[in-house]
Amino acid sequence: MGSVKALIESTTLTSIPPNYAYNTTSNTCNQQNAIDPVELEGQIPTIDYSMLVSGSGQQRSQCVQQVGEACRDWGFFYVINHGVPGEVMERMLGACGDFFDLREEEKREMEGEEVLDPIRCGTSFNAAVEQVFFWRDFLKVFVHPIFHSPDKPPGFSDISLNYSKKVRAVMLELLGAISESLGVDKCYIEKEMELEHGLQILAANLYPPCPQPELAMGMPPHSDHGLLTLLIENQGHGLQIHHNGMWIHVNNAPPSSFLVNIADHLEILSNGKYKSVVHRAVVNNKAARISVAMAHGPALDKVVEPAPELVKNGGYKAKYIGMKYKDYLASQQGSQLNGKSCLERLRIECEPSTK
Ligand code: OGA
Ligand code: NI
């Protein structure tokens, strides 16, 4: 199936083809879609990363507490002063733009065959199983534990290697703070999830300008599969997060910040204390939007279940059954993307507690 980019460049479109009309197809609209977005500017918490790595003891513990509150109340937060130079982020976005500018034949060589292929590009989310397509082209590359890269465009490999390493270091430090905020050792998540061999996926998204943005959808409501995602974008006005029953526009990012979100495996590991948050990407009719979401998960062969320490702490029962991360990933990537449906399958129905 051809890319959205090729579609809009091949002809002058004044309306979208019917098979992109997401918002008029009732069976693909879930309830969350019916709720109008509400703009709450400046509400998403901001974490000052420098306090974690070079603050005083008191500043650091204050920051850990803020991280904990952001995870508990939002599941999304900005990270500023993280030490990754703005130009490294810009170059990564630029290289992804160059990738999408490759000729269609060149990209087709990198389509991949299986959802777990380490280099895979395409359009929509999983066009093989979708009836309605998303206004999005993508590139997904496994960059850790083994680094992969498309061999085009020139420079992509160096730029993504440098970016991936730097983002990974930030992610590890954040998971340290998250561990502490859960009342366990700083290294707890890193060790338990075997992050030395942890999966890191660079997911680049292109949302070309769309003639009928209110009818199309860039990426449907979903939660991310891993532990923690760090996202950057070339412009705001696209991502929306589901919070307290409303869709909230994310368009007020501090300059050069990362937008970080909790993903499904952190919800499982923390036994639901920190929840993955549903988000979606809408499209616009003015300019192409590019985002780079760096997903960080456990080692592929790790079976993840609620951490005994975190279940016991509150005298609770485990709320999720264990599953191998690789199987979870294959199932999520190989299906239609639909809210938190993958995670729901692991949820244990609890009897009302008598305690
Ligand atoms: C993702 C994602 C949102 C965006 O890649 O998982 O949610 O704004 N992307 O591109
Ligand atoms: Ni996502």
Side-chain angles (χ1 to χ4, degrees), residues 77 105 134 152 154 191 215 240 250 275 278 291 318 337 339:
F77 52 91
E105 309 86 80
F134 302 111
K152 293 173 214 168
K191 269 205 259 171
L215 295 186
Q240 299 181 342
V250 179
K275 294 194 167 49
V278 171
S291 67
L337 200 52

Side-chain angles (χ1 to χ4, degrees), residues 239-267:
L239 181 59
Q240 299 181 342
I241 68 177
H242 200 242
H243 178 73
N244 286 346
M246 293 177 292
W247 285 111
I248 296 177
H249 295 287
V250 179
N251 54 10
N252 223 5
S256 297
S257 57
F258 287 110
L259 180 65
V260 177
N261 67 283
I262 304 286
D264 295 343
H265 280 74
L266 198 49
E267 174 166 340

Side-chain angles (χ1 to χ4, degrees), residues 38-176:
V38 175
E39 205 142 340
L40 287 178
E41 299 238 334
Q43 295 265 323
I44 296 175
T46 298
I47 299 299
D48 182 351
Y49 183 88
S50 66
M51 292 298 139
L52 288 179
V53 291
S54 49
S56 65
Q58 196 198 354
Q59 284 169 325
R60 184 180 151 81
S61 50
Q62 229 172 36
C63 191
V64 166
Q65 193 182 338
Q66 287 168 0
V67 168
E69 286 165 8
C71 291
R72 188 194 62 204
D73 299 341
W74 279 86
F76 262 89
F77 52 91
Y78 295 117
V79 172
I80 57 167
N81 299 329
H82 43 67
V84 181
E87 64 205 46
V88 169
M89 303 164 92
E90 294 298 323
R91 271 205 294 267
M92 188 69 251
L93 287 162
C96 291
D98 293 343
F99 175 86
F100 291 117
D101 282 342
L102 294 175
R103 285 181 289 124
E104 290 292 294
E105 309 86 80
E106 293 176 295
K107 283 184 275 188
R108 212 163 291 137
E109 285 166 20
M110 298 183 245
E111 259 174 1
E113 282 161 21
E114 313 264 336
V115 288
L116 294 185
D117 282 349
I119 301 176
R120 200 156 70 85
C121 68
T123 191
S124 195
F125 177 74
N126 190 354
V129 298
E130 290 156 346
Q131 285 89 48
V132 175
F133 302 116
F134 302 111
W135 200 264
R136 164 204 189 228
D137 299 331
F138 69 85
L139 167 68
K140 291 184 191 178
V141 188
F142 289 13
V143 290
H144 193 274
I146 299 171
F147 177 76
H148 297 270
S149 174
D151 54 4
K152 293 173 214 168
F156 190 96
S157 177
D158 289 346
I159 292 169
S160 67
L161 178 62
N162 180 34
Y163 182 72
S164 303
K165 282 187 177 168
K166 289 191 159 66
V167 173
R168 204 176 123 73
V170 173
M171 172 280 296
L172 288 172
E173 191 65 37
L174 291 174
L175 283 181

